[in-house]
């Protein structure tokens, strides 16, 4: 039994309802680890307004986390491919210049990653963002020493809900079988990508999507913020205190 299988076997009943604990955890970044959805939506609204396009903020929120080109084609079907590309380019430039410096990491990311690694499991990032944006996010999270692999938007032709980013992350993890992996994200599109890749899906409410929409998309667990997942990984350790200690305190 290799380390991936061993981790999944040891903790397979960790979650209520019999869900297994995986050998690898694949994290979305924007809205899951980084608190940036408000800034991203404002940026999209400002960019679209510059092209004379008014989209209600509620509609943008529903599309948050979707591949940018697919989002534009869904929101404004009359746009041709060239115009959609121009809008995406302008949005990226505006976001990097004005909005990216404002974002912050959600609390507890480093602690969660440390706990996952302490259980012998591996960690990957699977994000639609570009490499320069990801560099900023990684500096905010301060958790590079716990990250085993990264699949970035620069490496694929389509973002979520297409499963290619999740599949790429599995490949970068050395071909970890999908059955031994869980994707953690903040949007239904993360969950859809995960399920299409054969990976389990968990969700957080950090991106503004509703609990019901995440569950409907395939999430088997939904919490308020990513740090709340830490209790799942500590539950087994609380039940089995280290030898020589009267109890375990967390």
């Amino acid at each position: 039994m290799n380390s991936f299988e061993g981790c999944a076997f040891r903790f397979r009943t960790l979650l209520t309802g019999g869900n297994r604990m995986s050998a690898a955890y694949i994290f979305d970044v924007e809205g899951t680890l980084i608190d940036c959805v408000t800034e991203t939506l404002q940026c999209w609204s400002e960019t679209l307004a510059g092209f004379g396009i008014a989209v209600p903020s509620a509609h943008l929120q529903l599309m948050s986390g979707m591949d940018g080109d697919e989002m534009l084609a869904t929101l404004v079907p009359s746009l041709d491919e060239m115009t959609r590309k121009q809008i995406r380019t302008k949005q990226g430039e505006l976001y990097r210049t004005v909005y990216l410096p404002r974002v912050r990491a959600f609390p507890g990311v480093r602690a969660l990653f440390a706990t996952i690694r302490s259980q012998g499991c591996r960690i990957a990032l699977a994000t639609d963002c570009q490499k320069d944006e990801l560099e900023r996010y990684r500096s905010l999270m301060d958790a590079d020493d716990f990250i085993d692999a990264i699949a970035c938007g620069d490496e694929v032709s389509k973002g979520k809900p297409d499963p290619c980013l999740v599949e790429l992350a599995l490949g970068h993890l050395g071909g970890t079988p999908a059955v031994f992996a869980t994707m953690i994200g903040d949007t239904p599109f993360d969950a859809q990508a995960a399920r299409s890749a054969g990976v389990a899906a968990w969700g957080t409410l950090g991106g503004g999507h509703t609990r019901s929409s995440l569950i409907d998309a395939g999430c088997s667990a939904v919490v308020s913020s990513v740090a709340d997942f830490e209790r799942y990984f500590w539950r087994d350790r609380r039940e089995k205190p280290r030898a020589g200690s009267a109890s375990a305190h967390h």
Side-chain angles (χ1 to χ4, degrees):
M1 181 180 292
N2 63 35
S3 61
F4 297 146
E5 294 166 334
C7 180
F9 176 79
R10 290 194 303 273
F11 301 106
R12 66 187 180 278
T13 59
L14 187 60
L15 289 178
T16 302
N19 292 329
R20 74 197 187 292
M21 180 167 178
S22 297
Y25 290 84
I26 302 171
F27 286 85
D28 170 62
V29 176
E30 296 176 303
T32 301
L33 304 176
I34 298 294
D35 186 1
C36 63
V37 172
T38 297
E39 289 79 7
T40 300
L41 294 178
Q42 289 176 346
C43 185
W44 272 113
S45 182
E46 183 176 345
T47 302
L48 289 168
F51 283 82
I53 301 169
V55 177
S57 57
H59 292 182
L60 285 172
Q61 173 63 66
L62 288 174
M63 298 293 104
S64 176
M66 179 184 281
D67 172 81
D69 189 64
E70 188 172 345
M71 181 193 76
L72 289 172
T74 302
L75 289 172
V76 194
S78 60
L79 293 174
D80 59 38
E81 183 178 356
M82 181 175 295
T83 303
R84 294 198 305 270
K85 183 175 181 179
Q86 291 173 345
I87 293 172
R88 297 199 321 271
T89 299
K90 284 291 187 182
Q91 191 272 345
E93 293 171 351
L94 180 63
Y95 182 75
R96 290 178 180 87
T97 302
V98 177
Y99 292 96
L100 185 60
R102 303 178 184 177
V103 306
R104 297 291 182 268
F106 280 114
V109 172
R110 182 173 177 84
L112 172 61
F113 281 16
T115 300
I116 292 173
R117 289 293 299 272
S118 75
Q119 304 290 2
C121 304
R122 304 183 75 193
I123 295 170
L125 306 181
T127 175
D128 294 341
C129 73
Q130 304 301 297
K131 286 183 179 178
D132 58 339
E133 297 167 340
L134 183 57
E135 287 179 6
R136 168 67 175 164
Y137 298 150
R138 288 168 64 181
S139 70
L140 294 172
M141 292 187 293
D142 186 30
D144 269 4
D145 47 327
F146 298 123
I147 298 170
D148 297 290
I150 294 172
C152 194
D154 289 329
E155 300 178 86
V156 296
S157 59
K158 293 188 69 175
K160 303 160 193 165
D162 190 281
C164 58
L165 266 173
V166 182
E167 294 167 347
L168 185 62
L170 291 172
H172 289 342
L173 284 169
T176 299
V179 70
F180 292 143
T182 293
M183 172 84 186
I184 298 176
D186 67 296
T187 77
F189 311 111
D190 294 316
Q192 291 166 10
R195 301 309 295 149
S196 295
V199 170
W202 291 353
T204 84
L205 302 179
H209 288 275
T210 64
R211 184 180 302 272
S212 60
S213 70
L214 295 173
I215 292 172
D216 289 345
C219 289
S220 60
V222 177
V223 298
S224 294
S225 66
V226 69
D228 293 328
F229 278 122
E230 189 173 4
R231 69 180 184 270
Y232 291 123
F233 297 92
W234 278 114
R235 186 178 301 167
D236 184 80
R237 184 166 290 189
R238 286 199 302 268
E239 293 171 354
K240 298 178 181 179
R242 292 180 181 177
S245 63
S247 62
H249 300 281
H250 305 292

